[in-house]
Amino acid sequence: MAYFDSRETSTEHGEKRAVSPATVLDGLTLTLVAQVSADDFVQLHLSPAYAAQTGESRARDGTTVPVLAVNQADTVMRVRDGETIVFAGFLSAAEKATPRSGFARLFGAGSRTTVRSELVILLTPRIVKAATLSSN
């Protein structure tokens, strides 16, 4: 989670304004709405979003806010009870610097490695039926 700064700032007209803290969610946010049909099919409205903080930005008044890279999707699927859905495609690449040792270290040389990753979501909907009471 990233946070905004909390302090009092002045506008260009000399007015005081309070900047209150607010949270910004990073990571995976998954919104899922399921509907069950009479023929035991499950309709899923799936909306995953993946946010990662890539840096910070600073305003003239000193307020810092996070810079986020956001990947999101929105889809509707219709599957049978117990079938597994594979939802993939959230690709990301990040460079990782590795410091060198020895002679190369004297000249500030280092190696960079690109780390690639993919987020894969597996969902298996199950329909849970209410139990009926039997009278004895």
Side-chain angles (χ1 to χ4, degrees):
M1 250 186 251
Y3 297 92
F4 289 104
D5 281 346
S6 174
R7 70 179 137 192
E8 209 169 84
T9 60
S10 298
T11 63
E12 60 187 58
H13 302 292
E15 302 166 345
K16 295 279 185 182
R17 180 177 69 132
V19 178
S20 60
T23 58
V24 177
L25 295 177
D26 58 354
L28 178 66
T29 303
L30 181 63
T31 304
L32 177 68
V33 177
Q35 295 175 329
V36 179
S37 65
D39 56 353
D40 286 343
F41 273 86
V42 180
Q43 180 170 309
L44 298 170
H45 181 189
L46 182 65
S47 300
Y50 184 77
Q53 185 172 350
T54 59
E56 289 184 346
S57 180
R58 187 174 301 270
R60 288 186 201 136
D61 64 358
T63 305
T64 57
V65 293
V67 176
L68 299 174
V70 179
N71 295 315
Q72 58 187 11
D74 189 39
T75 189
V76 176
M77 297 175 232
R78 184 173 156 90
V79 295
R80 295 183 193 270
D81 178 33
E83 289 183 339
T84 299
I85 298 165
V86 179
F87 195 83
F90 286 102
L91 303 172
S92 66
E95 283 194 7
K96 181 179 176 183
T98 306
R100 295 278 177 137
S101 60
F103 189 68
R105 182 178 179 178
L106 294 174
F107 297 102
S111 65
R112 294 189 173 268
T113 305
T114 301
V115 179
R116 297 172 196 248
S117 62
E118 179 177 10
L119 176 66
V120 178
I121 300 169
L122 302 170
L123 290 174
T124 305
R126 299 277 184 196
I127 299 173
V128 179
K129 304 213 180 207
T132 57
L133 295 175
S134 60
S135 59
N136 289 343

